[in-house]
Amino acid sequence: MIDNSITKDNPEVKENLEKAINLFDQCSPFFLALGDQYRQHLLVQLALHPDGLTMADLAGKRRLSKPAISYHLKVLKDSGMVTTKKNGTIVTYYLNFDDVFDQIQELVASVQKVKEAVGNKAVNGAE
């Protein structure tokens, strides 16, 4: 919900606020996926191995069952942070953070624009 008292006289604030809200919606799968320590550890392992890791590789590095690792990898894949490549029956997992970082940076920039526009309005209105 957008506070109309803040945006009614400033279409730039409204536009940036709507953009920020849309970006939060787009980025929420990343934030949810990053909220689990096991998924964080899996991402770090994948970051350390740019050539990718298989389920067997990941199972050897974590004290989780293969089904648990599979679940966490699915969450990461669904969020777009992990990609896969299948070679026969072997699936290799890769870190895919470039798009994620781009969207998060865009979100931060959008929120910063809202903050600056509202801050400028507050400063200018206080004079």
Side-chain angles (χ1 to χ4, degrees):
M1 180 183 330
I2 296 176
D3 183 350
N4 289 332
S5 67
I6 295 172
T7 62
K8 70 178 179 180
D9 295 330
N10 194 332
E12 181 185 358
V13 171
K14 183 176 182 178
E15 179 182 328
N16 284 316
L17 188 57
E18 288 173 349
K19 182 178 181 180
I21 290 168
N22 287 333
L23 286 166
F24 268 114
D25 288 344
Q26 291 174 21
C27 292
S28 65
F30 311 143
F31 298 136
L32 291 171
L34 290 171
D36 182 272
Q37 69 177 350
Y38 295 112
R39 291 192 285 272
Q40 294 164 9
H41 292 288
L42 289 170
L43 289 171
V44 169
Q45 288 301 315
L46 291 171
L48 293 171
H49 297 88
D51 293 334
L53 291 170
T54 65
M55 176 67 74
D57 298 329
L58 290 164
K61 296 180 185 306
R62 301 295 324 147
R63 291 185 180 173
L64 288 175
S65 67
K66 285 184 180 181
I69 292 171
S70 180
Y71 166 76
H72 289 298
L73 287 169
K74 180 184 181 326
V75 172
L76 292 169
K77 186 176 177 187
D78 289 348
S79 73
M81 288 189 273
V82 170
T83 59
T84 59
K85 183 177 180 183
K86 192 169 184 178
N87 186 8
T89 60
I90 305 295
V91 178
T92 305
Y93 296 86
Y94 301 90
L95 186 64
N96 183 41
F97 252 23
D98 292 340
D99 291 339
V100 173
F101 280 141
D102 289 346
Q103 284 186 307
I104 291 173
Q105 286 175 333
E106 188 177 354
L107 169 63
V108 170
S110 183
V111 171
Q112 185 64 34
K113 285 180 184 178
V114 170
K115 181 182 173 218
E116 289 169 0
V118 170
N120 290 340
K121 181 180 177 188
V123 170
N124 292 337
E127 295 178 321

